[in-house]
């Protein structure tokens, strides 16, 4: 079999760029090297591409199938076991639980009403160490529901914890943490029970891993905030608003017969329905003359929108 020297050079150059970028970040942060895992993965999957964030960490894997199995779960699990190190993580510390409210391990994607099946399955893993979850840290693997169950995309917010060990699982500094939260947000009146977590940064925030506690504060305004505090000192490390005041908007369409004949005689086309009732949660709005609607929504959970 003849090899394409140009293609081989491109693949090698792409791999070299990825490794140099990650090496630079590893040298800067002191994280454990992952070059061997990346090199092995790209050797086995030369057409697959990576997307790296500004810190040089792999956040997306895409471009070509890179794993397969007898089911969506087995295909994703093979990728987890073999290549968690690419993300600086330990495979055994990735547990089959999502960060969603119900913790589901899988979620169907792209439902086909004709077959009643989903085109893809999204498989979730969250990161833990010593049984303590790492805040906001997960791996998602998208698998095509077809023969071979090929994994075609992966997204990672996994953290490189290095040799970090959980030093404190106690909630002894919860009182100090609440006081710190109240100093910044004095209108909060109630607080949830604290939970142990590992804080190692989130989104664009980079941080060395520390033992932390997570809790929520709220009032009847409504106001609700999530807090992460240092487990040793009670210092607030991170907080975010959990209630976002937004509008729900959309359009209601229906199939309309084109012409004076019966529906079996004339073609039907999709048209906007004007002045129809739309239920947004427990609220009600009506579409305008173009079939569009906008409704205020002040909840914290997904809302059902229906028009009968």
């Amino acid at each position: 079999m003849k090899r394409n020297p140009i293609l081989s050079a491109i693949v090698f150059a792409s791999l070299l760029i990825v490794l140099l970028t990650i090496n630079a970040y590893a040298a800067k942060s002191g994280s454990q090297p992952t070059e061997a895992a990346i090199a092995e993965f790209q050797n086995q999957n030369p057409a697959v591409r990576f997307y790296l964030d500004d810190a040089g960490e792999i956040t997306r894997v895409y471009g070509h199938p890179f794993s397969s199995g007898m089911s969506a779960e087995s295909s994703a699990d093979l990728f987890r076991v073999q290549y968690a190190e690419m993300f600086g993580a330990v495979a055994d510390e990735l547990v089959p639980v999502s960060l969603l409210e119900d913790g589901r391990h899988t979620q169907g994607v792209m439902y086909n009403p004709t077959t009643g099946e989903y085109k893809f399955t999204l498989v979730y893993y969250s990161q833990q160490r010593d049984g303590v979850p790492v805040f906001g840290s997960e791996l998602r693997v998208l698998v095509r529901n077809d023969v071979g169950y090929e994994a075609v995309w992966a997204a990672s917010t996994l953290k490189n914890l290095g040799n970090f060990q959980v030093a404190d699982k106690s909630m002894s500094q919860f009182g100090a943490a609440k006081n710190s939260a109240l100093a910044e947000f004095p209108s909060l009146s109630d607080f949830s029970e604290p939970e142990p977590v590992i804080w190692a940064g989130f989104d664009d925030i980079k941080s060395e891993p520390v033992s932390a506690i997570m809790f929520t504060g709220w009032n009847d305004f409504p106001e609700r905030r999530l807090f992460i505090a240092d487990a040793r000192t009670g210092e607030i490390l991170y907080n975010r608003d959990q209630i976002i005041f937004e509008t729900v908007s959309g359009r209601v369409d229906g199939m309309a017969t084109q012409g004076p004949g019966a529906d079996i005689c004339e073609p039907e086309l999709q048209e906007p329905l004007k002045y129809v009732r739309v239920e947004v949660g427990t609220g009600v709005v009506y579409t305008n003359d173009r079939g569009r609607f906008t409704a205020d929504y002040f909840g914290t959970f997904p809302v059902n929108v229906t028009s009968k």
Side-chain angles (χ1 to χ4, degrees):
M1 182 181 68
K2 294 184 177 180
R3 292 184 178 272
N4 186 328
I6 297 177
L7 178 60
S8 298
I10 292 173
V11 170
F12 175 76
S14 299
L15 174 59
L16 183 60
I17 291 171
V18 170
L19 293 182
L20 287 174
T21 305
I22 293 175
N23 264 336
Y25 178 70
K28 179 180 178 181
S29 65
S31 58
Q32 297 299 314
T34 57
E35 307 87 60
I38 296 170
E40 179 185 353
F41 178 80
Q42 287 222 299
N43 183 54
Q44 297 296 323
N45 305 276
V48 173
R49 301 179 66 185
F50 294 134
Y51 179 82
L52 281 68
D53 65 11
D54 293 339
E57 297 172 344
I58 297 174
T59 59
R60 298 291 186 273
V61 180
Y62 65 99
H64 195 272
F66 49 82
S67 183
S68 62
M70 299 297 293
S71 66
E73 291 91 334
S74 65
S75 178
D77 215 45
L78 180 63
F79 176 68
R80 172 191 68 87
V81 170
Q82 289 187 326
Y83 297 111
E85 189 182 342
M86 286 201 310
F87 308 100
V90 179
D92 289 345
E93 295 179 344
L94 305 184
V95 298
V97 177
S98 72
L99 300 181
L100 301 172
E101 187 176 3
D102 60 4
R104 77 192 76 152
H105 177 41
T106 62
Q107 171 65 56
V109 177
M110 291 187 64
Y111 178 73
N112 185 335
T114 302
T115 63
E117 298 177 345
Y118 291 95
K119 184 175 181 179
F120 299 95
T121 296
L122 190 59
V123 185
Y124 297 86
Y125 300 92
S126 58
Q127 187 178 15
Q128 298 183 2
R129 176 158 291 183
D130 299 332
V132 178
V134 181
F135 179 77
S137 181
E138 67 173 353
L139 174 67
R140 300 182 182 186
V141 183
L142 189 68
V143 181
R144 184 184 292 120
N145 293 327
D146 205 344
V147 176
Y149 290 95
E150 293 177 322
V152 295
W153 175 89
S156 166
T157 57
L158 299 174
K159 306 296 188 295
N160 190 330
L161 302 180
N163 296 321
F164 170 79
Q165 297 296 322
V166 177
D168 191 351
K169 296 183 183 180
S170 75
M171 303 292 107
S172 60
Q173 294 301 314
F174 181 41
K178 283 198 298 183
N179 290 337
S180 297
L182 285 169
E184 188 171 357
F185 302 97
S187 59
L188 298 176
S189 58
D190 297 279
F191 292 91
S192 68
E193 290 298 317
E195 303 174 34
V197 295
I198 296 170
W199 168 254
F202 185 70
D203 283 345
D204 294 333
I205 303 173
K206 303 300 179 182
S207 172
E208 291 297 318
V210 297
S211 297
I213 55 178
M214 178 176 68
F215 60 96
T216 302
W218 69 90
N219 58 29
D220 294 330
F221 174 64
E223 183 180 14
R224 188 179 186 91
R225 301 197 75 88
L226 176 73
F227 296 94
I228 306 293
D230 192 304
R232 297 167 299 176
T233 65
E235 175 191 359
I236 300 298
L237 303 173
Y238 173 78
N239 80 86
R240 72 181 180 204
D241 193 350
Q242 290 196 296
I243 298 181
I244 301 175
F245 297 92
E246 289 288 355
T247 57
V248 178
S249 60
R251 192 177 80 177
V252 180
D253 290 342
M255 301 303 293
T257 302
Q258 308 298 301
D263 58 352
I264 61 173
C265 301
E266 301 282 356
E268 288 183 299
L269 296 178
Q270 183 172 295
E271 293 186 0
L273 299 180
K274 49 187 177 182
Y275 314 132
V276 300
R277 176 187 173 102
V278 180
E279 299 175 2
V280 182
T282 58
V284 174
V285 295
Y286 291 85
T287 61
N288 62 17
D289 58 359
R290 293 170 295 168
R292 297 188 176 278
F293 67 90
T294 299
D296 292 327
Y297 179 62
F298 305 106
T300 59
F301 299 103
V303 63
N304 291 322
V305 179
T306 58
S307 180
K308 300 177 182 178

